[in-house]
Amino acid sequence: MIDEVIATASTFESQAKANDSKIFLGHKTSAVFHRDLRYEPFKIASASGIYFHFTNGQKVVDATGGAAVSCIGHGDPRVRDAISAQFDALDYCHSMFFSCPSSEELCQALIDTTNGQMAKAYIVCSGSEAMEAAMKLCRQYFMELPTAQPQRTRFIARKQSYHGTTIGALSMGGHVGRREMYEPILSPNISHVSPCNAYRGKLSDESTSAYVGRLAKELDDEFQRVGPDTVCAFVAEPVVGAALGCTPAVEGYFKAIKYVCDKYGALLVMDEVMCGMGRTGTMHAWEQEGVVPDIQTIGKGLGGGYAPVAGLLAGHRVINTLREGSGRFSHGQTYQAHPVSCAAALQVQQIIQQEGLLDNVTNMGRYLERCLKQRLGNHRYVGDIRGRGLFWGIEFVKDKVTKAPFDRKLDICMAIHNRGLSLSSNKGILVYPGNGTADGVLGDHILIAPAYTVTREQINLIVDLTVTAIEATFADLACHL
């Protein structure tokens, strides 16, 4: 059924035959272990600005920067030059023994963006690695206290969250579909409470403060259930990205849960791998919450896709405890603080600062919100449009009143993704599909997360193409709805 619907919703195959070029390849010729072994992915020849250029000549608007990664667009020569210069100076050194200027400068720049509220930066290669490091740092913090607390072995996170794909990070996440196959090998010391999702969680007659109070009580009850002195940390995304489709917390939520964490002596970890580093309009998403985390993970917008890089920011409470204890973090990786990755990330961050791109994220984000809501707010199958800055999600429902999701077999989000790519040879669009929005299994959404450099004209184009892809998809699927 899924294959039939995708074939109906996408015109890739017919276009490929008509153009005598293979966009959607059915034969297995690649030696790459692709994510889907049934098909080879579309091949990109080059990228520039907000555009991808496929090997068959097709030009596609990248409206999501991949997975909200390409924050300054593709092909910026300044980043290329910074990478080249770093290669000429130093390609690699082992962080167990050495440091280098690009690492030192990047970490100082990151701490400076927090106005000194965070103490140290720790650079790795991916968001999953950053979360693994955060989990270990939480545990070590309690072991390093003057009176050690070895019973602190648990974590509390949220349902329908995503914190990475490695075993520890996947255990932390609460996305049912992504966890299902691996449940028997996931860590049993992590439990999950409800997400802060006003669209699906807040009652129609419930005030925002009452909703916050209910969620805070649920977290407090979970501390009590598992033993308040056994919890290392509560982990949450300020704006939930891939799992819930750009769902921001309601006002006052993080202040309330910080109070609960402080009440029981647990740390607060904010996962900003997807929503941080300027994506929501401030360099750090927690700035809009009025709460400073003890540990923060960062990633995608850190290096803008120019090199594999992510990181962890640790607060003074954590760093001072380690400094006064063993004096070291019992964790390390081969490519930690890689000189070239640090040089690329440093240049990306300098571009964001020097060009005032955070202001553009805020201004263009408001314009994008207005355009999406004007064009899609009354669409029969659009349930909710939410987000912050240049980080927006559109959730699709079968019924706007009941908010009932579509049958999973229809794979609405992927159908829209495929339809967007196939609109025409020079007017395709890349949107980011996600499912499990309603309960971890059912529910569809797409993400729109353009580069921070996006212009008003480009937003008009992105919205036009997104609306066209959505309308074409539901027209294709009319007989299945």
Side-chain angles (χ1 to χ4, degrees), residues 124-146:
V124 291
C125 297
S126 72
S128 295
E129 292 173 36
M131 181 52 63
E132 297 282 344
M135 293 173 70
K136 293 177 74 173
L137 183 56
C138 288
R139 168 65 178 171
Q140 186 172 344
Y141 164 79
F142 287 104
M143 295 300 292
E144 297 271 0
L145 288 171

Side-chain angles (χ1 to χ4, degrees), residues 344-365:
L346 178 62
Q347 185 62 56
V348 168
Q349 295 309 307
Q350 289 174 343
I351 290 171
I352 291 172
Q353 294 292 334
Q354 293 166 3
E355 296 192 357
L357 293 184
L358 293 184
D359 288 338
N360 197 59
V361 171
T362 299
N363 295 331
M364 291 299 99

Side-chain angles (χ1 to χ4, degrees), residues 198-264:
Y199 176 64
R200 290 195 173 273
K202 183 173 174 289
L203 303 177
S204 59
D205 60 347
E206 190 174 36
S207 67
T208 297
S209 61
Y211 180 48
V212 167
R214 179 159 59 86
L215 292 176
K217 183 179 185 305
E218 181 184 351
L219 177 60
D220 195 296
D221 290 346
E222 184 63 12
F223 267 95
Q224 290 292 337
R225 186 186 73 82
V226 301
D229 64 344
T230 69
V231 179
C232 288
F234 175 68
V235 180
E237 303 156 89
V239 182
V240 185
L244 276 183
C246 303
T247 300
V250 300
E251 184 178 358
Y253 171 78
F254 274 99
K255 288 183 179 179
I257 62 101
K258 180 68 164 63
Y259 175 83
V260 175
C261 291
D262 290 345
K263 176 180 176 180
Y264 296 116

Side-chain angles (χ1 to χ4, degrees), residues 405-416:
F406 285 99
D407 189 314
R408 180 68 184 87
K409 293 179 180 179
L410 291 174
D411 210 1
I412 296 292
C413 60
M414 186 57 70
I416 293 171

Side-chain angles (χ1 to χ4, degrees), residues 366-406:
R366 290 174 182 151
Y367 183 61
L368 175 59
E369 175 186 10
R370 186 163 68 250
C371 291
L372 288 174
K373 290 183 176 180
Q374 285 175 350
R375 298 287 299 278
L376 292 169
N378 294 320
H379 192 283
R380 177 180 178 182
Y381 297 121
V382 171
D384 193 32
I385 300 171
R386 69 280 186 128
R388 286 182 187 168
L390 288 174
F391 198 43
W392 286 87
I394 304 169
E395 181 173 347
F396 301 96
V397 293
K398 184 168 57 177
D399 186 299
K400 289 172 76 80
V401 176
T402 65
K403 303 179 185 178
F406 285 99

Side-chain angles (χ1 to χ4, degrees), residues 82-137:
I83 290 172
S84 178
Q86 183 59 55
F87 268 122
D88 290 343
L90 174 67
D91 55 352
Y92 171 74
C93 63
H94 195 343
S95 61
M96 179 182 290
F97 311 114
F98 310 108
S99 185
C100 68
S102 63
S103 170
E104 296 289 342
E105 291 176 32
L106 173 62
C107 291
Q108 186 60 60
L110 290 173
I111 295 304
D112 289 346
T113 64
T114 72
N115 294 317
Q117 298 198 75
M118 303 301 274
K120 299 284 185 182
Y122 186 91
I123 305 301
V124 291
C125 297
S126 72
S128 295
E129 292 173 36
M131 181 52 63
E132 297 282 344
M135 293 173 70
K136 293 177 74 173
L137 183 56

Side-chain angles (χ1 to χ4, degrees), residues 3-189:
D3 290 340
E4 292 175 2
V5 172
I6 291 177
T8 302
S10 173
T11 58
F12 274 119
E13 195 166 8
S14 60
Q15 283 186 348
K17 291 179 180 177
N19 297 330
D20 194 29
S21 60
K22 292 179 179 177
I23 309 172
F24 191 79
L25 299 174
H27 59 286
K28 299 179 177 67
T29 60
S30 176
V32 177
F33 194 162
H34 291 300
R35 296 193 185 200
D36 190 333
L37 294 176
R38 298 168 299 174
Y39 306 106
E40 292 183 26
F42 319 123
K43 293 181 174 61
I44 296 174
S46 63
S48 58
I50 65 165
Y51 290 97
F52 282 134
H53 303 271
F54 290 170
T55 53
N56 72 318
Q58 186 179 7
K59 182 180 179 181
V60 171
V61 174
D62 179 10
T64 67
V69 173
S70 300
C71 58
I72 62 168
H74 301 283
D76 193 303
R78 293 167 292 184
V79 186
R80 178 198 61 208
D81 292 346
I83 290 172
S84 178
Q86 183 59 55
F87 268 122
D88 290 343
L90 174 67
D91 55 352
Y92 171 74
C93 63
H94 195 343
S95 61
M96 179 182 290
F97 311 114
F98 310 108
S99 185
C100 68
S102 63
S103 170
E104 296 289 342
E105 291 176 32
L106 173 62
C107 291
Q108 186 60 60
L110 290 173
I111 295 304
D112 289 346
T113 64
T114 72
N115 294 317
Q117 298 198 75
M118 303 301 274
K120 299 284 185 182
Y122 186 91
I123 305 301
V124 291
C125 297
S126 72
S128 295
E129 292 173 36
M131 181 52 63
E132 297 282 344
M135 293 173 70
K136 293 177 74 173
L137 183 56
C138 288
R139 168 65 178 171
Q140 186 172 344
Y141 164 79
F142 287 104
M143 295 300 292
E144 297 271 0
L145 288 171
T147 302
Q149 300 180 30
Q151 78 280 5
R152 298 255 187 188
T153 60
R154 299 190 62 90
F155 293 86
I156 302 174
R158 302 189 298 187
K159 300 171 186 175
Q160 293 160 268
S161 59
Y162 181 67
H163 298 293
T165 194
T166 50
I167 294 299
L170 187 61
S171 301
M172 189 68 73
H175 191 287
V176 175
R178 299 186 185 195
R179 290 171 56 98
E180 184 177 14
M181 181 185 299
Y182 303 103
E183 284 286 357
I185 61 173
L186 297 184
S187 299
N189 62 328

Side-chain angles (χ1 to χ4, degrees), residues 64-65 67-71 127 131 158 161-164 235-249 253-254 269-289 291 293 295-302 310-311 313 349 352 358 361-362 386-393 432 447-450 452:
T64 67
V69 173
S70 300
C71 58
M131 181 52 63
R158 302 189 298 187
S161 59
Y162 181 67
H163 298 293
V235 180
E237 303 156 89
V239 182
V240 185
L244 276 183
C246 303
T247 300
Y253 171 78
F254 274 99
V269 178
M270 287 194 183
D271 181 348
E272 297 201 6
V273 168
M274 199 172 202
C275 67
M277 301 312 299
R279 175 55 65 185
T280 61
T282 51
M283 184 54 67
H284 307 288
W286 52 258
E287 295 177 72
Q288 299 174 53
E289 306 297 340
V291 171
I295 297 172
Q296 170 191 359
T297 58
I298 56 177
K300 303 177 188 301
L302 175 59
L313 303 183
Q349 295 309 307
I352 291 172
L358 293 184
V361 171
T362 299
R386 69 280 186 128
R388 286 182 187 168
L390 288 174
F391 198 43
W392 286 87
Y432 193 87
L447 271 59
I448 298 176
Y452 303 172

